[in-house]
Amino acid sequence: MTTTVNAAALALGDDALVLSQRLGEWAGHAPVLEEDVALANIALDLLGQARVLLSLVGDEDELAYLREERDFRNLQLVEQPNGDFADTIARQLYFSVWQHQLYRQLVSVEGELGGLAAKAVKEVAYHQDHAEQWTLRLGDGTAHSHERMQQACTALWRFTGEMFEPLEGLAVDWDALETAWLGSVSATLERATLTVPSGPRSGGWAAGAGRQGLHTEPFGRMIAEMQHLHRSHPGASW
């Protein structure tokens, strides 16, 4: 692969790896048993994507477990803590809609990334549907669930602009991608009786610089936990 495509694969692989780690933190803690299984399955899907993408760049284990914080190129959105269940669902809605739209465009691209997108687009469509169904249940549920879901959607809104900063090496219409994302997310929020946030998504008041290796405070603690076993027992095998 070219250097630019390599960089794009690393960024997308880091997105999938970091969000997989976050969703894996729900194992044994989800509100109902069925949801415990569902979140674990989504985490495994993302981990599978991460393995394919990172292996295109180099050794997947070294890239996952031996890089320093500033070397990761994931979106700041996916590294945000799980918070309560509404925070997790809002994060999942924003990301899975973006990833689904992105992979639908990448399906037509020749090469390894196109092949990955063709395989992953169906499972990502499921991730989007899962997030949308929970957004509807929480937003149009009780007054309390509505309030928590609205707070979560509003709090994470400022992290969404970063998703549409072009990744060099990807033949993607980023403007069309953002238009489609806004339309899909807005329609879901409105169906859930939630207000589409109006805060900034780009500029000085927005978040984002994960693609440049700048991450939020919770990320350091997350990768320390993720890398602890591998760093403590280098070269260990089952």
Side-chain angles (χ1 to χ4, degrees), residues 192-208:
T193 72
L194 296 164
T195 301
V196 179
S198 57
R201 298 177 49 248
S202 61
W205 294 102

Side-chain angles (χ1 to χ4, degrees), residues 84-146:
D84 67 16
F85 193 62
D87 295 312
T88 292
I89 292 301
R91 184 186 63 199
Q92 196 64 27
L93 175 70
Y94 292 162
F95 181 78
S96 62
V97 172
W98 173 80
Q99 196 184 34
H100 189 209
Q101 297 289 345
L102 176 67
Y103 279 13
R104 287 176 63 183
Q105 289 202 35
L106 291 180
V107 164
S108 58
V109 173
E110 293 184 359
E112 293 94 339
L113 289 180
L116 166 72
K119 293 180 180 177
V121 70
K122 291 183 179 178
E123 62 191 22
V124 174
Y126 163 74
H127 301 173
Q128 178 178 340
D129 181 66
H130 173 269
E132 288 177 344
Q133 294 305 315
W134 269 109
T135 300
L136 295 173
R137 290 175 66 178
L138 296 176
D140 199 19
T142 66
H144 183 62
S145 71
H146 176 92

Side-chain angles (χ1 to χ4, degrees), residues 101-102 105 164 172-184:
Q101 297 289 345
L102 176 67
Q105 289 202 35
F164 306 100
V172 170
D173 185 336
W174 295 97
D175 291 336
L177 182 67
E178 185 166 15
T179 299
W181 180 88
L182 272 172
S184 180

